[in-house]
Amino acid sequence: MRLLFVRHGDPDYEHDTVTEKGEREIRLLAERLAKEDMTAIYISPLGRAKKTAEATLSKTGREGKILPWLQEFVYPIIMPDSGQKHLLWDFLPAFVEKYPMLMSSENWRKVPFISQSEALKAYDETVEAFDALLASHGYRRNGAFYSAENSNRDTLVFFCHLGITGVLLSHLFNQSPVALLQHFAAPPSSVTVVYTEEREKGIVHFRCSSYGDVSHLFAGAEEPSFMGRFCETYDSDERHE
Protein backbone atom coordinates (compact mmCIF):
# COMPACT_ATOMS: atom_id res chain seq x y z
CA MET A 1 0.00 0.00 0.00
CA ARG A 2 1.10 3.56 -0.67
CA LEU A 3 0.16 6.69 1.26
CA LEU A 4 0.37 10.07 -0.48
CA PHE A 5 0.32 13.08 1.85
CA VAL A 6 -0.44 16.23 -0.16
CA ARG A 7 0.07 19.64 1.38
CA HIS A 8 -2.41 22.30 0.27
CA GLY A 9 -1.41 24.91 -2.31
CA ASP A 10 0.19 28.23 -1.39
CA PRO A 11 -2.15 29.39 1.40
CA ASP A 12 -4.28 32.44 1.92
CA TYR A 13 -4.67 31.84 5.64
CA GLU A 14 -6.89 34.87 6.18
CA HIS A 15 -9.62 33.45 3.93
CA ASP A 16 -8.68 29.77 4.41
CA THR A 17 -8.15 29.11 0.72
CA VAL A 18 -5.20 29.30 -1.68
CA THR A 19 -3.56 32.30 -3.31
CA GLU A 20 -3.34 33.02 -7.02
CA LYS A 21 0.01 31.23 -6.96
CA GLY A 22 -1.67 28.38 -5.10
CA GLU A 23 -4.23 28.12 -7.92
CA ARG A 24 -1.41 27.54 -10.40
CA GLU A 25 0.20 25.02 -8.08
CA ILE A 26 -2.91 22.92 -7.58
CA ARG A 27 -3.62 22.79 -11.31
CA LEU A 28 -0.15 21.35 -11.87
CA LEU A 29 -0.66 19.03 -8.91
CA ALA A 30 -3.91 17.76 -10.42
CA GLU A 31 -2.07 16.91 -13.64
CA ARG A 32 0.33 14.81 -11.63
CA LEU A 33 -2.22 13.05 -9.41
CA ALA A 34 -4.48 12.27 -12.37
CA LYS A 35 -1.83 9.74 -13.40
CA GLU A 36 -2.12 7.90 -10.08
CA ASP A 37 -4.37 4.91 -9.53
CA MET A 38 -5.97 6.39 -6.41
CA THR A 39 -7.91 3.88 -4.31
CA ALA A 40 -9.30 6.41 -1.82
CA ILE A 41 -9.04 10.15 -1.32
CA TYR A 42 -9.25 11.72 2.13
CA ILE A 43 -9.49 15.46 2.75
CA SER A 44 -9.01 17.84 5.65
CA PRO A 45 -12.14 19.90 6.46
CA LEU A 46 -10.20 23.17 6.16
CA GLY A 47 -10.82 25.35 3.13
CA ARG A 48 -7.29 25.45 1.75
CA ALA A 49 -7.07 21.65 1.70
CA LYS A 50 -10.54 21.28 0.19
CA LYS A 51 -9.68 23.84 -2.49
CA THR A 52 -6.51 21.90 -3.31
CA ALA A 53 -8.40 18.63 -3.53
CA GLU A 54 -11.11 20.13 -5.75
CA ALA A 55 -8.68 20.59 -8.63
CA THR A 56 -7.78 16.89 -8.60
CA LEU A 57 -11.35 15.70 -8.01
CA SER A 58 -12.60 17.83 -10.89
CA LYS A 59 -9.93 16.57 -13.26
CA THR A 60 -10.39 12.89 -12.35
CA GLY A 61 -14.15 12.79 -11.73
CA ARG A 62 -13.47 11.27 -8.33
CA GLU A 63 -14.97 11.96 -4.91
CA GLY A 64 -13.17 12.36 -1.63
CA LYS A 65 -14.11 11.88 2.01
CA ILE A 66 -13.72 14.64 4.60
CA LEU A 67 -11.99 13.49 7.79
CA PRO A 68 -12.23 15.97 10.71
CA TRP A 69 -9.06 14.67 12.36
CA LEU A 70 -7.07 15.41 9.19
CA GLN A 71 -7.28 19.17 9.85
CA GLU A 72 -4.10 21.05 10.72
CA PHE A 73 -2.62 20.10 14.10
CA VAL A 74 -2.99 23.39 15.96
CA TYR A 75 -3.34 22.08 19.52
CA PRO A 76 -0.99 24.15 21.68
CA ILE A 77 1.46 23.58 24.45
CA ILE A 78 2.20 26.28 27.05
CA MET A 79 5.80 27.46 26.91
CA PRO A 80 7.42 26.98 30.33
CA ASP A 81 9.29 30.29 30.35
CA SER A 82 6.75 32.71 28.91
CA GLY A 83 3.41 30.98 29.51
CA GLN A 84 2.52 31.65 25.88
CA LYS A 85 0.91 29.12 23.57
CA HIS A 86 3.07 27.37 20.99
CA LEU A 87 2.69 24.56 18.46
CA LEU A 88 4.67 21.31 18.49
CA TRP A 89 7.17 22.55 15.93
CA ASP A 90 9.48 25.43 14.99
CA PHE A 91 11.17 25.78 18.35
CA LEU A 92 14.33 27.87 18.41
CA PRO A 93 17.50 25.75 18.70
CA ALA A 94 18.34 27.25 22.09
CA PHE A 95 15.01 26.02 23.45
CA VAL A 96 15.51 22.49 22.11
CA GLU A 97 18.98 22.42 23.70
CA LYS A 98 17.31 23.23 27.00
CA TYR A 99 14.82 20.37 26.68
CA PRO A 100 16.62 17.57 24.76
CA MET A 101 13.91 15.04 25.68
CA LEU A 102 11.71 16.75 23.08
CA MET A 103 13.75 15.00 20.39
CA SER A 104 13.53 11.54 21.96
CA SER A 105 11.17 9.02 20.41
CA GLU A 106 10.61 7.46 23.83
CA ASN A 107 10.64 10.48 26.12
CA TRP A 108 9.14 13.46 24.24
CA ARG A 109 5.72 12.90 25.80
CA LYS A 110 7.20 12.89 29.31
CA VAL A 111 8.34 16.52 29.12
CA PRO A 112 6.04 18.27 31.65
CA PHE A 113 4.74 20.98 29.32
CA ILE A 114 3.96 18.26 26.76
CA SER A 115 2.39 15.73 29.11
CA GLN A 116 0.15 18.41 30.65
CA SER A 117 -0.97 19.87 27.33
CA GLU A 118 -4.02 19.34 25.15
CA ALA A 119 -1.57 18.62 22.32
CA LEU A 120 -0.65 15.20 23.73
CA LYS A 121 -4.28 14.15 24.12
CA ALA A 122 -5.01 15.38 20.59
CA TYR A 123 -1.95 13.54 19.27
CA ASP A 124 -3.11 10.24 20.74
CA GLU A 125 -6.66 10.71 19.48
CA THR A 126 -5.41 11.64 16.00
CA VAL A 127 -3.08 8.67 15.56
CA GLU A 128 -5.78 6.36 16.95
CA ALA A 129 -8.15 7.58 14.22
CA PHE A 130 -5.38 7.19 11.64
CA ASP A 131 -4.71 3.61 12.75
CA ALA A 132 -8.42 2.80 12.52
CA LEU A 133 -8.40 4.04 8.93
CA LEU A 134 -5.32 1.97 8.06
CA ALA A 135 -6.97 -1.07 9.67
CA SER A 136 -9.98 -0.59 7.40
CA HIS A 137 -7.55 -0.84 4.48
CA GLY A 138 -5.92 -4.04 5.75
CA TYR A 139 -3.10 -2.93 8.04
CA ARG A 140 -3.55 -3.06 11.83
CA ARG A 141 -1.14 -1.46 14.31
CA ASN A 142 0.72 -4.05 16.36
CA GLY A 143 3.33 -2.53 18.66
CA ALA A 144 5.85 -0.54 16.64
CA PHE A 145 4.78 -2.14 13.35
CA TYR A 146 1.61 -3.24 11.54
CA SER A 147 0.03 -6.61 10.92
CA ALA A 148 -0.91 -7.25 7.31
CA GLU A 149 -4.45 -8.57 7.55
CA ASN A 150 -5.04 -7.86 3.86
CA SER A 151 -1.82 -7.07 2.00
CA ASN A 152 -2.52 -4.83 -0.99
CA ARG A 153 -1.15 -2.25 -3.40
CA ASP A 154 -3.83 0.37 -2.77
CA THR A 155 -2.97 4.07 -2.96
CA LEU A 156 -4.50 6.36 -0.33
CA VAL A 157 -4.26 10.11 -0.90
CA PHE A 158 -4.51 12.61 1.96
CA PHE A 159 -5.06 16.29 1.14
CA CYS A 160 -3.98 18.02 4.33
CA HIS A 161 -1.32 20.18 5.99
CA LEU A 162 2.31 20.37 7.05
CA GLY A 163 1.75 19.88 10.78
CA ILE A 164 -0.71 16.99 10.64
CA THR A 165 1.48 15.21 8.10
CA GLY A 166 4.39 15.46 10.53
CA VAL A 167 2.24 14.07 13.32
CA LEU A 168 1.10 11.10 11.25
CA LEU A 169 4.58 10.38 9.92
CA SER A 170 6.02 10.49 13.44
CA HIS A 171 3.54 7.79 14.43
CA LEU A 172 4.29 5.62 11.39
CA PHE A 173 8.03 5.97 11.93
CA ASN A 174 7.99 5.75 15.76
CA GLN A 175 9.64 9.17 16.11
CA SER A 176 9.07 12.26 18.20
CA PRO A 177 6.73 14.62 16.31
CA VAL A 178 8.83 17.51 17.63
CA ALA A 179 11.97 16.07 16.04
CA LEU A 180 10.29 15.33 12.73
CA LEU A 181 8.59 18.71 12.44
CA GLN A 182 11.71 20.52 13.59
CA HIS A 183 13.74 19.13 10.70
CA PHE A 184 11.34 18.60 7.79
CA ALA A 185 9.47 21.29 5.85
CA ALA A 186 7.29 20.37 2.87
CA PRO A 187 6.44 23.20 0.42
CA PRO A 188 2.84 23.97 -0.55
CA SER A 189 1.28 21.49 -3.01
CA SER A 190 4.10 19.01 -2.33
CA VAL A 191 3.60 15.26 -2.26
CA THR A 192 5.13 12.94 0.35
CA VAL A 193 5.09 9.26 -0.54
CA VAL A 194 5.18 6.46 2.03
CA TYR A 195 4.79 2.79 1.22
CA THR A 196 4.54 -0.51 3.07
CA GLU A 197 7.33 -3.06 3.24
CA GLU A 198 6.44 -6.64 4.14
CA ARG A 199 9.86 -8.26 4.31
CA GLU A 200 8.63 -10.71 6.92
CA LYS A 201 5.29 -12.34 6.20
CA GLY A 202 2.48 -10.49 7.89
CA ILE A 203 4.74 -7.87 9.51
CA VAL A 204 4.71 -4.43 7.92
CA HIS A 205 6.52 -1.17 8.42
CA PHE A 206 6.26 2.06 6.47
CA ARG A 207 9.12 3.68 4.56
CA CYS A 208 9.26 7.15 3.03
CA SER A 209 10.41 7.17 -0.61
CA SER A 210 10.05 10.94 -1.12
CA TYR A 211 9.25 13.87 1.13
CA GLY A 212 7.86 17.21 0.02
CA ASP A 213 8.28 16.46 -3.68
CA VAL A 214 7.37 19.36 -6.01
CA SER A 215 8.52 17.92 -9.33
CA HIS A 216 5.12 18.85 -10.79
CA LEU A 217 5.93 22.51 -10.14
CA PHE A 218 9.29 22.32 -11.85
CA ALA A 219 7.64 20.51 -14.78
CA GLY A 220 5.26 23.47 -15.09
CA ALA A 221 7.98 26.10 -14.62
CA GLU A 222 6.38 27.22 -11.33
CA GLU A 223 8.79 28.22 -8.56
CA PRO A 224 8.08 26.43 -5.25
CA SER A 225 6.85 28.67 -2.46
CA PHE A 226 9.09 29.58 0.48
CA MET A 227 6.15 28.96 2.81
CA GLY A 228 7.01 26.59 5.66
CA ARG A 229 10.68 27.51 5.76
CA PHE A 230 12.74 30.01 7.73
CA CYS A 231 15.70 32.24 6.87
CA GLU A 232 18.61 30.42 5.29
CA THR A 233 21.05 32.94 6.78
CA TYR A 234 20.44 35.15 9.80
CA ASP A 235 21.29 38.38 7.96
CA SER A 236 18.64 37.79 5.28
CA ASP A 237 15.20 39.39 5.12
CA GLU A 238 13.55 35.96 4.93
CA ARG A 239 11.18 34.73 7.61
CA HIS A 240 12.76 34.57 11.11
CA GLU A 241 9.67 33.91 13.25
Side-chain angles (χ1 to χ4, degrees):
M1 182 168 71
R2 291 195 311 152
L3 310 179
L4 274 58
F5 296 94
V6 181
R7 189 182 179 193
H8 54 75
D10 189 59
D12 174 353
Y13 286 121
E14 181 181 357
H15 302 98
D16 192 21
T17 184
V18 301
T19 63
E20 183 178 338
K21 176 176 176 53
E23 291 275 7
R24 297 194 299 272
E25 291 177 345
I26 66 177
R27 287 195 293 270
L28 292 169
L29 173 67
E31 293 284 345
R32 171 181 179 171
L33 293 179
K35 300 171 185 176
E36 296 280 355
D37 183 13
M38 298 179 287
T39 307
I41 300 170
Y42 299 109
I43 307 167
S44 157
L46 299 185
R48 53 195 183 273
K50 291 196 290 186
K51 181 69 174 178
T52 300
E54 282 172 10
T56 295
L57 298 179
S58 176
K59 185 166 185 62
T60 60
R62 298 288 304 275
E63 294 184 356
K65 181 177 181 180
I66 302 293
L67 298 178
W69 55 264
L70 201 54
Q71 67 182 307
E72 183 57 298
F73 196 84
V74 293
Y75 306 95
I77 63 166
I78 304 301
M79 295 291 277
D81 301 330
S82 66
Q84 295 182 342
K85 292 182 177 181
H86 198 284
L87 299 180
L88 275 179
W89 62 95
D90 294 341
F91 294 112
L92 292 175
F95 183 80
V96 176
E97 287 283 351
K98 231 175 135 178
Y99 300 96
M101 286 172 61
L102 287 171
M103 308 297 272
S104 167
S105 59
E106 296 180 353
N107 297 319
W108 71 272
R109 57 174 58 237
K110 298 177 184 177
V111 179
F113 55 83
I114 296 288
S115 64
Q116 298 165 10
S117 72
E118 63 177 294
L120 183 58
K121 180 174 182 291
Y123 180 93
D124 289 338
E125 290 175 348
T126 298
V127 299
E128 182 180 358
F130 184 48
D131 278 341
L133 179 68
L134 294 180
S136 73
H137 284 280
Y139 295 88
R140 187 173 301 278
R141 184 84 177 194
N142 186 7
F145 300 102
Y146 288 78
S147 297
E149 298 180 342
N150 177 29
S151 299
N152 60 74
R153 295 179 181 269
D154 292 351
T155 296
L156 313 185
V157 182
F158 299 85
F159 287 91
C160 53
H161 312 268
L162 176 64
I164 189 64
T165 296
V167 163
L168 299 179
L169 292 182
S170 76
H171 180 61
L172 289 179
F173 303 155
N174 301 296
Q175 299 293 319
S176 160
V178 178
L180 197 146
L181 287 163
Q182 191 77 11
H183 292 291
F184 287 82
S189 86
S190 64
V191 180
T192 294
V193 181
V194 177
Y195 62 92
T196 55
E197 287 186 347
E198 189 178 349
R199 299 166 69 189
E200 298 176 277
K201 185 172 177 57
I203 303 174
V204 168
H205 82 290
F206 287 85
R207 189 185 294 269
C208 183
S209 62
S210 62
Y211 179 89
D213 180 54
V214 286
S215 55
H216 55 284
L217 298 184
F218 290 115
E222 181 71 31
E223 185 74 17
S225 171
F226 190 82
M227 182 67 64
R229 294 178 55 198
F230 291 91
C231 52
E232 192 164 338
T233 59
Y234 187 77
D235 59 0
S236 74
D237 60 359
E238 296 166 337
R239 178 183 176 208
H240 280 63
E241 296 292 339

